[in-house]
Amino acid sequence: MKTALITGANKSIGFEAARQLLQQGYYVYLGSRDAHKGQQAVDQLKAEGLTQVEPLVIDVTDSASIAAARAALGQKTDVLDVLINNAGILGSMSQPALTSSIGMIKEVFDTNVFGVIEVTQAFIDLLRQSPAPRIVNVTSGLGSLTLHNDPSWKYYPVKGAAYQPSKAALNAYTIMLAYELRDTPFKVNAVDPGYTATDFNHHSGPGTVQDAAARVVKAAVLGPDGPTSQFFSDDNAPETGISPW
């Protein structure tokens, strides 16, 4: 049975991704900062008959929490097949470039960038034991620098000094990571789940959690001939599914 770890998976897209991977026969470690919320999410999945799941407490902004999660997972399995770096935060709703607080920007980067890097580094040894390891970094279409400089893009006015740059940085890290692992069985990709109605955006998005999670899961279960070092976004590029960086 293949194994997957999803950070920030006690609700929304991460939770639905866990459900869909369970339905495909994966054993899922459901990452959550809060032990109680993580257990509640697991209990809900088990009530649906999806029993191959357990919670894993992990706060991606806390080095000690990441280390403890790695130690805990190492006691349960020698192999991790899929890592989905899903945990992310938006920051304040208004993020002007000249007046946003440095503290708020650092907080967003701590979760969206540095957290991803530290979690990936912590679990890479378990991933290397898989014959077909997959790393999925959940990004945003708003992380495209090319499109942010295109006045004809539908999201062109949606600018922010913290969230958008954090996702651009995450995309850049994804490219560097994929390059470093280019001669291995790893597939490393960034996935934009689309503008989805979740707590993250006060349910303002038009997309469904089910469709968003399906995009993430698609990259998590890529076959040996699947692409690596891609920025998948049906929202930015509905014809090809591949967004400009």
Side-chain angles (χ1 to χ4, degrees), residues 172-205:
Y173 177 70
T174 302
I175 294 173
M176 305 310 150
L177 182 61
Y179 179 80
E180 189 165 327
L181 296 169
R182 67 195 180 283
D183 295 324
T184 73
F186 275 84
K187 306 292 183 185
V188 182
N189 292 291
V191 177
D192 166 26
Y195 188 14
T196 306
T198 66
D199 292 345
F200 192 83
N201 54 38
H202 305 288
H203 294 271
S204 62

Side-chain angles (χ1 to χ4, degrees), residues 69-226:
R70 168 60 187 85
L73 191 61
Q75 294 176 354
K76 302 173 186 297
T77 181
D78 296 327
V79 181
L80 183 63
D81 297 288
V82 174
L83 172 62
I84 299 178
N85 286 305
N86 169 72
I89 63 172
L90 179 61
S92 63
M93 291 301 294
S94 177
Q95 299 182 1
L98 292 177
T99 57
S100 290
S101 75
I102 296 300
M104 184 273 291
I105 295 172
K106 286 182 176 179
E107 183 180 12
V108 172
F109 269 72
D110 277 345
T111 297
N112 295 358
V113 184
F114 303 127
V116 170
I117 295 171
E118 190 165 3
V119 168
T120 301
Q121 291 178 348
F123 289 90
I124 194 68
D125 60 330
L126 294 180
L127 287 161
R128 287 188 188 275
Q129 300 307 308
S130 169
R134 305 290 180 258
I135 298 175
V136 181
N137 293 332
V138 179
T139 185
S140 168
L142 296 174
S144 172
L145 295 178
T146 299
L147 293 176
H148 265 299
N149 207 35
D150 179 359
S152 68
W153 184 40
K154 61 181 176 180
Y155 298 126
Y156 179 73
V158 186
K159 298 289 194 279
Y163 181 73
Q164 288 85 336
S166 77
K167 291 302 186 180
L170 175 62
N171 291 349
Y173 177 70
T174 302
I175 294 173
M176 305 310 150
L177 182 61
Y179 179 80
E180 189 165 327
L181 296 169
R182 67 195 180 283
D183 295 324
T184 73
F186 275 84
K187 306 292 183 185
V188 182
N189 292 291
V191 177
D192 166 26
Y195 188 14
T196 306
T198 66
D199 292 345
F200 192 83
N201 54 38
H202 305 288
H203 294 271
S204 62
T208 68
V209 168
Q210 290 76 19
D211 287 345
R215 296 182 180 109
V216 173
V217 169
K218 181 179 179 181
V221 301
L222 283 172
D225 296 327

Side-chain angles (χ1 to χ4, degrees), residues 5-23:
L5 167 61
I6 310 172
T7 63
N10 60 280
K11 64 178 182 178
S12 300
I13 296 172
F15 179 74
E16 178 61 25
R19 177 186 281 126
Q20 293 184 18
L21 282 173
L22 287 164
Q23 290 169 342

Side-chain angles (χ1 to χ4, degrees), residues 27-31 38-39 42 46 51-56 76:
Y27 193 99
V28 175
Y29 297 98
L30 189 150
Q39 187 61 57
V42 165
K46 287 185 174 180
T51 60
Q52 302 298 320
V53 58
E54 60 183 283
L56 184 71
K76 302 173 186 297

